[in-house]
Every structure is written in C-alpha cells, then in structure tokens.
Amino acid sequence: MSKRALERRLAEVRGFEDPQVELEQYPTPADLAAHLVHLADVHGDVAGRTVVDLGAGTGVLALGAATRDPARVVAVDVDEAALDRARENERRVAPAVGVDWVRGDATRPPLCPAGRGADAGVTVLMNPPFGAQRGNEHADRAFLDAAASLSDVSYSIHNEGSREFVEAFAGDAGGEVTHAFRAELPLERQFAFQQEQRRVLDAEVFRVKWPPSPTSDGGSRGER
Ligand code: SAH
C-alpha cells in the first residue's frame, strides 16, 4: 500500500472523544502518522517485527503499523476511554493484523513484548506526552527510557528543540539518532484554555537505534 493510500485509511481514525489535558491527549494527524509508519516500513522496521505503540491514544500509529505486515502490534495507554475509541478505530481501518490494546502505564517497566515476532526485533512508535503540562515536564524522557528498554529501534515525535536532548539521551544509553526530521503538528482546539481554533506546533521526529539487548529473553533488557 502506498503512503497516500495509508494516509487515506488513517483518515478514518477518530480522535479523543473527551480529551484529558493532563494526559496531553493530542492525536497525530493522518498525514504525519502515514509518513512515520511508511518511513519505518521502508527501513525494515515494521514487517515481521513486534511493533509497540507507547501512549497509543486513539491508535493511529498502531493501526498504521498493523497494515504493514508486522508479526504483532501492542498498543499501550493509561486511558481506557482512549482505548475504547482505538478499538472502534480498528474496526474502521480494519488492518490485516489485529492490535493488542493494553491498558497500562507505558513508563513503568518492565514491559516485555515477548512471544511471536519478538525474536525478529521490537520497534517502538510513539507520540508521547511532550511534558508541556506543569508537573509533567519530563514525560518524554520516561517514554524514551521505556523505548530504550524494550526496543532496538524507535520512532518518536517530540516538540521543537528536542534534538540535543534526544541525541544526548540516546548516546547515554549506547544508542544513536540515525534520522531526524521536522514535522508540523496541527492541533485542533480541544480544550477551553486554547484560544485559537487551530494551532500548528513545530515538532521533530527521531529514529533512534538502541543497543542490542544483552539478554535473549525476547528483546527486553528488564530493569536498568
Ligand atoms: N499516540 C497517539 C496519542 C498521542 S497523545 C497518537 O499519536 O495519536 C499522548 C497519549 O499518551 C495519550 O493518549 C495519553 O493518554 C497517553 N499517556 C500519557 N501518559 C501515559 C502513560 N504514563 N502511560 C501510557 N499512556 C500515557
């Protein structure tokens, strides 16, 4: 399926019914989700592998990956209402591979996506909370930590100006940023405090190659 066809399919995905501001529930638009999934697929990071979407929300990244022949897709979110919407979205998109929707805190390891496909490697795709809300400043750090502990490659969306931080974080973990690009993240007005109807946020997307797992227990490095 072409990137444009994928984008059309992902345009069926509906956003949050009742978005929670403290969880930073902003959906990734279909064009950026399709771009990210397509890029991951072209790099050989989707087909045959386990794909984990951390902070999956209404599921656009997980569902995109599920159309590209992965061994398995696991999508984690703390919010049951978002996961209900994601399951609805799965029926709309109807990917060939089913998604395992898991309610849980994505930042509390160990998450062990062992089983089918884990031997071929684990890819994390995520648009995590950026930590823009007070009291939540390091939200993306905790998500990167989770990606480092359970995947060998991750794709993540961050707010503008995150490159140094992500490169330093990856370097400290023995990994490296292999690709970086800018993207626009249009934010439709979801919350009463937002003045404009639509605001475009400059975002940055990174592909990080994490060091190989020292264990052979299905890709998880466990506690670090
Ligand atoms: N990945 C989705 C949603 C992005 S919004 C998309 O691209 O459209 C960020 C998501 O992270 C929200 O759904 C929120 O509920 C979830 N989230 C926030 N903190 C979390 C945590 N600690 N563990 C799991 N999910 C979390």
Side-chain angles (χ1 to χ4, degrees):
M1 197 199 319
S2 72
K3 184 167 105 175
R4 283 180 66 185
L6 178 61
E7 182 180 335
R8 278 196 297 275
R9 258 174 105 172
L10 294 181
E12 297 291 318
V13 171
R14 294 167 70 193
F16 299 93
E17 191 173 6
D18 180 21
Q20 308 294 310
V21 67
E22 68 283 0
L23 291 174
E24 295 189 48
Q25 294 188 324
Y26 297 99
T28 306
D31 57 347
L32 178 53
H35 186 60
L36 197 147
V37 166
H38 185 76
L39 189 76
D41 194 17
V42 166
H43 279 93
D45 295 330
V46 179
R49 292 169 57 93
T50 293
V51 176
V52 182
D53 182 348
L54 298 176
T58 64
V60 71
L61 299 177
L63 292 168
T67 67
R68 294 292 178 97
D69 208 23
R72 187 176 182 208
V73 182
V74 181
V76 184
D77 204 284
V78 277
D79 183 19
E80 191 60 44
L83 293 174
D84 283 345
R85 175 53 65 89
R87 287 186 195 97
E88 238 176 68
N89 284 331
E90 183 171 15
R91 288 190 285 275
R92 292 166 172 274
V93 175
V97 171
V99 175
D100 295 328
W101 305 102
V102 178
R103 186 178 181 191
D105 186 339
T107 66
R108 293 278 178 100
L111 269 172
C112 302
R116 190 161 43 92
D119 290 347
V122 177
T123 299
V124 162
L125 303 183
M126 60 183 184
N127 178 6
F130 293 165
Q133 297 301 318
R134 230 192 313 258
N136 201 21
E137 283 86 358
H138 300 299
D140 53 353
R141 177 188 294 275
F143 275 75
L144 279 174
D145 216 11
S149 71
L150 67 88
S151 71
D152 42 64
V153 61
S154 68
Y155 292 79
S156 53
I157 304 175
H158 300 263
N159 52 349
E160 191 185 25
S162 296
R163 186 168 184 152
E164 250 177 67
F165 158 69
V166 176
E167 281 178 346
F169 186 99
D172 288 348
E176 64 170 323
V177 172
T178 63
H179 296 73
F181 62 91
R182 286 174 176 277
E184 287 191 339
L185 208 52
L187 304 179
E188 303 300 333
R189 185 173 190 272
Q190 293 194 115
F191 303 114
F193 67 81
Q194 291 171 329
Q195 312 269 311
E196 308 109 302
Q197 198 56 36
R198 191 169 187 268
R199 191 160 61 94
V200 178
L201 201 78
D202 289 314
E204 293 173 358
V205 184
F206 302 99
R207 177 181 186 267
V208 181
K209 192 104 189 70
W210 302 102
S213 168
T215 63
S216 55
D217 64 355
S220 171
R221 270 183 288 281
E223 302 284 354
R224 293 186 314 147

Coordinates of all heavy atoms in Angstrom, one line a residue, residues 106-169:
A106 N 2.9 3.3 30.4 CA 4.0 3.0 29.4 C 5.3 3.3 30.0 O 6.4 2.9 29.4 CB 3.7 3.7 28.1
T107 N 5.4 4.0 31.1 CA 6.7 4.4 31.6 C 7.1 3.6 32.8 O 8.1 3.9 33.5 CB 6.6 5.9 32.1 OG1 5.7 6.0 33.2 CG2 6.1 6.8 30.9
R108 N 6.3 2.5 33.1 CA 6.7 1.7 34.2 C 7.2 0.3 33.7 O 6.3 -0.6 33.5 CB 5.5 1.4 35.1 CG 5.0 2.7 35.8 CD 5.8 2.9 37.0 NE 5.4 4.1 37.7 CZ 4.6 4.1 38.8 NH1 4.1 3.0 39.3 NH2 4.2 5.2 39.3
P109 N 8.5 0.2 33.4 CA 9.0 -1.1 33.0 C 8.9 -2.1 34.2 O 8.7 -1.7 35.3 CB 10.4 -0.9 32.6 CG 10.8 0.4 33.3 CD 9.5 1.1 33.7
P110 N 9.0 -3.4 34.0 CA 9.3 -4.0 32.7 C 8.0 -4.3 31.8 O 7.0 -4.8 32.4 CB 10.0 -5.3 33.0 CG 9.4 -5.7 34.3 CD 9.0 -4.4 35.0
L111 N 8.1 -3.8 30.6 CA 7.1 -4.2 29.6 C 7.8 -5.3 28.8 O 8.8 -4.9 28.2 CB 6.7 -3.1 28.7 CG 5.6 -2.1 29.1 CD1 5.6 -0.9 28.2 CD2 4.2 -2.9 29.0
C112 N 7.3 -6.4 28.7 CA 8.0 -7.5 27.9 C 7.2 -8.0 26.8 O 6.3 -8.9 27.0 CB 8.4 -8.6 28.8 SG 9.4 -8.2 30.2
P113 N 7.3 -7.4 25.6 CA 6.5 -7.9 24.5 C 7.1 -9.2 23.9 O 7.4 -9.3 22.7 CB 6.6 -6.8 23.5 CG 7.9 -6.2 23.7 CD 8.3 -6.4 25.2
A114 N 7.3 -10.2 24.8 CA 7.8 -11.5 24.4 C 6.8 -12.2 23.5 O 5.6 -11.8 23.5 CB 8.2 -12.3 25.6
G115 N 7.2 -13.3 22.9 CA 6.3 -14.1 22.1 C 6.6 -13.8 20.6 O 7.6 -13.4 20.2
R116 N 5.5 -14.2 19.8 CA 5.6 -14.2 18.4 C 6.2 -12.8 17.9 O 5.7 -11.8 18.2 CB 4.2 -14.4 17.8 CG 4.1 -14.6 16.4 CD 2.7 -15.2 16.1 NE 1.6 -14.6 16.9 CZ 0.9 -13.6 16.4 NH1 1.1 -13.1 15.3 NH2 0.0 -13.0 17.2
G117 N 7.2 -12.9 17.1 CA 7.8 -11.7 16.5 C 8.8 -11.0 17.3 O 9.6 -10.3 16.7
A118 N 8.9 -11.3 18.6 CA 9.9 -10.6 19.4 C 11.3 -10.9 19.0 O 12.2 -10.1 19.1 CB 9.6 -10.8 20.9
D119 N 11.5 -12.2 18.6 CA 12.8 -12.6 18.2 C 13.3 -11.8 17.0 O 14.5 -11.5 16.8 CB 12.8 -14.1 17.8 CG 12.6 -14.9 19.0 OD1 12.8 -14.4 20.1 OD2 12.4 -16.1 18.8
A120 N 12.4 -11.4 16.1 CA 12.8 -10.6 14.9 C 13.0 -9.1 15.3 O 13.5 -8.4 14.4 CB 11.7 -10.7 13.9
G121 N 12.8 -8.8 16.5 CA 13.1 -7.4 16.9 C 11.8 -6.6 17.3 O 10.7 -7.0 16.9
V122 N 12.0 -5.6 18.1 CA 10.9 -4.8 18.6 C 11.1 -3.4 18.2 O 12.2 -2.8 18.4 CB 10.8 -4.9 20.1 CG1 9.6 -4.0 20.6 CG2 10.5 -6.3 20.6
T123 N 10.1 -2.8 17.5 CA 10.1 -1.4 17.1 C 9.1 -0.6 17.9 O 7.9 -1.0 18.0 CB 9.7 -1.2 15.6 OG1 10.7 -2.0 14.8 CG2 9.7 0.2 15.2
V124 N 9.5 0.5 18.5 CA 8.5 1.4 19.2 C 8.2 2.5 18.3 O 9.1 3.1 17.7 CB 9.1 1.9 20.6 CG1 8.4 3.1 21.0 CG2 9.1 0.8 21.6
L125 N 6.9 2.8 18.2 CA 6.4 4.0 17.5 C 5.7 4.8 18.6 O 4.9 4.3 19.3 CB 5.4 3.7 16.4 CG 5.8 2.7 15.3 CD1 4.7 2.6 14.3 CD2 7.1 3.2 14.6
M126 N 6.0 6.1 18.7 CA 5.2 6.8 19.7 C 5.2 8.3 19.5 O 6.1 9.0 19.0 CB 5.9 6.6 21.1 CG 7.3 7.0 21.3 SD 7.9 6.5 22.9 CE 9.6 7.2 22.9
N127 N 4.0 8.9 19.9 CA 3.9 10.3 20.0 C 3.5 10.5 21.5 O 2.3 10.6 21.8 CB 2.7 10.8 19.1 CG 2.5 12.3 19.2 OD1 3.2 13.0 19.9 ND2 1.5 12.8 18.6
P128 N 4.5 10.6 22.3 CA 4.2 10.6 23.8 C 3.8 12.0 24.2 O 4.0 13.0 23.5 CB 5.5 10.2 24.4 CG 6.6 10.7 23.4 CD 5.9 10.6 22.0
P129 N 3.4 12.1 25.5 CA 3.2 13.5 26.0 C 4.6 14.2 26.0 O 5.6 13.6 26.2 CB 2.8 13.2 27.5 CG 2.3 11.8 27.5 CD 3.1 11.1 26.5
F130 N 4.5 15.5 25.6 CA 5.8 16.2 25.5 C 6.3 16.7 26.8 O 7.4 17.2 27.0 CB 5.6 17.4 24.6 CG 5.3 17.1 23.1 CD1 4.8 18.0 22.3 CD2 5.6 15.8 22.6 CE1 4.6 17.7 20.9 CE2 5.4 15.5 21.3 CZ 4.9 16.4 20.5
G131 N 5.4 16.7 27.8 CA 5.8 17.2 29.1 C 5.5 18.7 29.2 O 6.2 19.5 29.9
A132 N 4.6 19.2 28.4 CA 4.3 20.6 28.3 C 3.4 21.0 29.5 O 3.5 22.2 29.9 CB 3.5 20.9 27.0
Q133 N 2.7 20.1 30.1 CA 1.9 20.5 31.2 C 2.7 20.5 32.5 O 3.6 19.7 32.7 CB 0.7 19.5 31.4 CG -0.2 19.4 30.2 CD -0.8 20.8 29.9 OE1 -1.2 21.5 30.9 NE2 -0.9 21.1 28.7
R134 N 2.4 21.4 33.4 CA 3.1 21.6 34.7 C 3.0 20.2 35.4 O 2.0 19.6 35.5 CB 2.4 22.7 35.5 CG 3.4 23.6 36.0 CD 2.8 24.5 37.1 NE 1.5 25.0 36.6 CZ 1.3 26.2 36.2 NH1 2.3 27.1 36.1 NH2 0.1 26.6 35.8
G135 N 4.1 19.9 36.0 CA 4.1 18.7 36.8 C 4.4 17.4 36.0 O 4.4 16.3 36.4
N136 N 4.6 17.7 34.7 CA 4.7 16.5 33.7 C 5.9 16.8 32.8 O 6.0 16.2 31.7 CB 3.4 16.5 32.9 CG 3.2 15.1 32.3 OD1 3.8 14.1 32.8 ND2 2.5 15.1 31.2
E137 N 6.9 17.6 33.3 CA 7.9 18.2 32.5 C 8.8 17.1 31.8 O 9.3 17.3 30.7 CB 8.9 19.1 33.2 CG 8.3 20.5 33.5 CD 7.5 20.6 34.8 OE1 7.3 19.5 35.4 OE2 7.0 21.6 35.1
H138 N 9.0 16.0 32.4 CA 9.9 15.0 31.8 C 9.2 13.8 31.2 O 9.7 12.7 31.1 CB 11.0 14.6 32.8 CG 11.8 15.8 33.3 ND1 12.5 16.5 32.4 CD2 11.9 16.3 34.5 CE1 13.1 17.5 33.0 NE2 12.8 17.4 34.3
A139 N 7.9 14.1 30.8 CA 7.1 12.9 30.3 C 7.8 12.2 29.1 O 7.8 11.0 29.1 CB 5.8 13.5 29.9
D140 N 8.4 13.0 28.2 CA 9.0 12.3 27.0 C 10.3 11.5 27.4 O 10.6 10.5 26.8 CB 9.2 13.2 25.8 CG 10.0 14.5 26.1 OD1 10.3 14.8 27.2 OD2 10.2 15.2 25.1
R141 N 11.0 12.0 28.5 CA 12.2 11.2 28.9 C 11.8 9.8 29.4 O 12.4 8.8 29.1 CB 12.8 12.0 30.1 CG 14.0 11.3 30.7 CD 14.5 12.0 32.0 NE 15.0 13.3 31.7 CZ 16.3 13.6 31.3 NH1 17.1 12.6 31.2 NH2 16.7 14.8 31.1
A142 N 10.7 9.8 30.2 CA 10.3 8.4 30.7 C 9.8 7.5 29.5 O 10.1 6.3 29.6 CB 9.1 8.6 31.7
F143 N 9.2 8.1 28.5 CA 8.9 7.3 27.4 C 10.1 6.8 26.6 O 10.1 5.7 26.1 CB 7.9 8.1 26.5 CG 6.4 8.0 26.9 CD1 6.0 8.7 28.0 CD2 5.5 7.2 26.2 CE1 4.7 8.6 28.4 CE2 4.2 7.1 26.6 CZ 3.8 7.8 27.7
L144 N 11.1 7.7 26.4 CA 12.3 7.3 25.8 C 13.0 6.2 26.5 O 13.6 5.2 26.0 CB 13.3 8.5 25.6 CG 13.0 9.4 24.5 CD1 14.0 10.6 24.6 CD2 13.2 8.8 23.1
D145 N 13.0 6.3 27.9 CA 13.5 5.3 28.7 C 12.9 3.9 28.4 O 13.5 2.9 28.3 CB 13.3 5.7 30.2 CG 14.5 5.3 31.0 OD1 15.6 4.9 30.5 OD2 14.4 5.3 32.3
A146 N 11.5 4.0 28.4 CA 10.8 2.7 28.1 C 11.2 2.2 26.7 O 11.4 1.0 26.5 CB 9.3 3.0 28.2
A147 N 11.3 3.1 25.7 CA 11.7 2.6 24.4 C 13.0 2.0 24.4 O 13.3 1.0 23.7 CB 11.6 3.8 23.4
A148 N 14.0 2.6 25.1 CA 15.3 2.0 25.2 C 15.3 0.7 25.8 O 16.1 -0.2 25.4 CB 16.2 3.0 26.0
S149 N 14.4 0.4 26.8 CA 14.5 -0.8 27.5 C 13.7 -2.0 26.7 O 14.0 -3.1 27.0 CB 13.9 -0.7 28.9 OG 12.6 -0.5 28.9
L150 N 12.9 -1.6 25.8 CA 12.1 -2.7 25.2 C 12.3 -2.8 23.7 O 11.8 -3.8 23.1 CB 10.7 -2.7 25.6 CG 9.7 -1.6 25.2 CD1 9.1 -2.0 23.8 CD2 8.6 -1.4 26.2
S151 N 12.9 -1.9 23.1 CA 13.0 -2.0 21.6 C 14.5 -1.9 21.1 O 15.4 -1.5 21.9 CB 12.3 -0.8 21.0 OG 12.9 0.4 21.2
D152 N 14.7 -2.2 19.9 CA 16.0 -2.0 19.3 C 16.0 -0.8 18.3 O 17.0 -0.3 18.0 CB 16.7 -3.2 18.7 CG 15.8 -4.0 17.9 OD1 15.3 -3.5 16.9 OD2 15.5 -5.2 18.3
V153 N 14.8 -0.4 18.0 CA 14.7 0.9 17.2 C 13.4 1.6 17.6 O 12.4 0.9 17.8 CB 14.8 0.6 15.7 CG1 13.7 -0.3 15.2 CG2 14.8 1.9 14.9
S154 N 13.4 2.9 17.7 CA 12.2 3.6 18.0 C 12.0 4.8 17.1 O 13.0 5.4 16.6 CB 12.2 4.0 19.4 OG 13.1 5.0 19.7
Y155 N 10.8 5.2 16.9 CA 10.4 6.4 16.1 C 9.6 7.2 17.1 O 8.6 6.7 17.6 CB 9.6 6.1 14.9 CG 10.4 5.4 13.8 CD1 10.6 4.0 13.9 CD2 10.9 6.1 12.7 CE1 11.4 3.4 12.9 CE2 11.6 5.4 11.7 CZ 11.9 4.1 11.9 OH 12.6 3.4 10.9
S156 N 10.0 8.5 17.4 CA 9.2 9.2 18.3 C 9.1 10.7 17.9 O 9.9 11.3 17.3 CB 9.8 9.2 19.7 OG 11.2 9.5 19.7
I157 N 7.9 11.2 18.3 CA 7.6 12.6 17.9 C 7.8 13.5 19.2 O 7.3 13.1 20.3 CB 6.1 12.8 17.4 CG1 5.9 11.8 16.2 CG2 5.8 14.2 17.1 CD1 4.5 11.8 15.7
H158 N 8.5 14.6 19.1 CA 8.8 15.4 20.2 C 8.5 16.9 19.8 O 8.4 17.2 18.6 CB 10.3 15.3 20.6 CG 10.6 13.9 21.0 ND1 10.7 13.5 22.3 CD2 10.9 12.8 20.3 CE1 11.0 12.2 22.4 NE2 11.2 11.8 21.1
N159 N 8.5 17.8 20.8 CA 8.3 19.2 20.5 C 9.6 19.7 19.9 O 10.7 19.2 20.1 CB 7.7 20.0 21.6 CG 8.4 19.9 22.9 OD1 9.3 19.0 23.0 ND2 8.1 20.7 23.8
E160 N 9.5 20.9 19.3 CA 10.6 21.5 18.6 C 11.7 21.8 19.7 O 11.4 22.1 20.8 CB 10.2 22.9 18.1 CG 11.2 23.5 17.2 CD 10.6 24.9 16.7 OE1 9.8 25.5 17.4 OE2 11.1 25.4 15.7
G161 N 13.0 21.6 19.2 CA 14.1 21.9 20.1 C 14.5 20.7 21.0 O 15.2 20.9 21.9
S162 N 14.0 19.5 20.6 CA 14.3 18.4 21.4 C 15.6 17.6 20.9 O 16.0 16.6 21.5 CB 13.1 17.4 21.4 OG 12.0 18.0 22.0
R163 N 16.1 18.0 19.8 CA 17.2 17.2 19.2 C 18.4 16.9 20.1 O 18.8 15.8 20.2 CB 17.6 17.9 17.9 CG 18.6 17.0 17.1 CD 18.9 17.4 15.7 NE 19.8 16.4 15.1 CZ 19.8 16.2 13.8 NH1 19.1 16.9 13.0 NH2 20.6 15.3 13.3
E164 N 18.9 18.0 20.7 CA 20.0 17.8 21.6 C 19.7 16.9 22.7 O 20.5 16.0 23.1 CB 20.4 19.2 22.2 CG 21.7 19.7 21.7 CD 22.0 21.1 22.3 OE1 22.2 21.1 23.5 OE2 22.0 22.0 21.5
F165 N 18.5 17.1 23.3 CA 18.1 16.2 24.4 C 18.0 14.7 24.0 O 18.5 13.8 24.6 CB 16.7 16.7 24.9 CG 15.9 15.7 25.7 CD1 16.4 15.2 26.9 CD2 14.7 15.2 25.2 CE1 15.6 14.3 27.6 CE2 14.0 14.3 25.8 CZ 14.4 13.8 27.1
V166 N 17.3 14.5 22.8 CA 17.2 13.1 22.4 C 18.5 12.5 22.0 O 18.8 11.3 22.3 CB 16.1 13.0 21.2 CG1 16.0 11.6 20.6 CG2 14.8 13.5 21.6
E167 N 19.4 13.3 21.3 CA 20.7 12.7 21.0 C 21.5 12.4 22.2 O 22.2 11.3 22.3 CB 21.5 13.8 20.1 CG 21.0 13.7 18.7 CD 21.7 14.7 17.8 OE1 22.3 15.7 18.3 OE2 21.5 14.6 16.5
A168 N 21.5 13.3 23.2 CA 22.2 13.0 24.5 C 21.6 11.8 25.2 O 22.4 10.9 25.7 CB 22.2 14.2 25.4
F169 N 20.3 11.7 25.2 CA 19.7 10.6 25.9 C 20.0 9.3 25.2 O 20.4 8.3 25.8 CB 18.1 10.8 25.9 CG 17.4 9.7 26.6 CD1 17.0 10.0 27.9 CD2 17.2 8.4 26.1 CE1 16.4 9.0 28.7 CE2 16.6 7.4 26.8 CZ 16.2 7.7 28.1

